[in-house]
Amino acid sequence: MAVPGTSRLPLATAWLPLRRFAVMGAGALLLGAVRIPNRPHTVCLLRLTTGIPCPLCGGTTAAVRVGQGHLAAALAANPLAFLGAIVLVLAGTPRGVIAVGYWRSQPMTVKVALGTAIVAAGECWQLARFGLL
């Protein structure tokens, strides 16, 4: 029973960050351990058809690098995917829940502007990484 004036998360919500971390960590470990012979050069349809990487290019590589324990290489492969995974895990923490509530209270124009800036920054990173910028 919660004491009035305190904010306690339900037990299921309290375990959410740990569950997310465990699932994403298991997925990264699995990707890091799998070796696929003759795998395609890329799974990104935009890069495959145009040669231009998308903002999420390198996301699978980042997950593989995390699974292999190479966090700096994962961050270099795709900072957007790497940091996005961290944000996803932290969103279930008490401070993350407050941040999510704050985010939901923002006007749509702020959300669109910030989202566009993040995606544009991710695309610029990928263009620079592939030597196209």
Side-chain angles (χ1 to χ4, degrees):
M1 182 167 158
V3 176
T6 63
S7 59
R8 296 220 175 229
L9 294 173
L11 188 57
T13 305
W15 285 98
L16 185 61
L18 184 58
R19 288 193 318 234
R20 286 180 181 171
F21 180 78
V23 169
M24 290 169 41
L29 287 172
L30 179 65
L31 282 172
V34 171
R35 301 283 182 254
I36 302 172
N38 303 321
R39 77 176 185 93
H41 174 66
T42 181
V43 294
C44 175
L45 294 177
L46 180 66
R47 187 168 158 222
L48 183 64
T49 56
T50 67
I52 298 171
C54 74
L56 294 177
C57 272
T60 305
T61 302
V64 168
R65 297 297 181 258
V66 166
Q68 295 169 339
H70 305 295
L71 300 182
L75 186 61
N78 191 318
L80 187 61
F82 183 81
L83 297 173
I86 293 170
V87 167
L88 182 64
V89 169
L90 294 178
T93 64
R95 288 184 187 219
V97 169
I98 293 168
V100 168
Y102 177 75
W103 174 253
R104 287 183 180 154
S105 72
Q106 296 303 304
M108 186 56 73
T109 54
V110 171
K111 294 176 186 177
V112 170
L114 185 58
T116 301
I118 290 170
V119 170
E123 181 63 15
C124 288
W125 175 268
Q126 293 305 327
L127 291 173
R129 184 171 84 106
F130 285 97
L132 300 171
L133 185 67

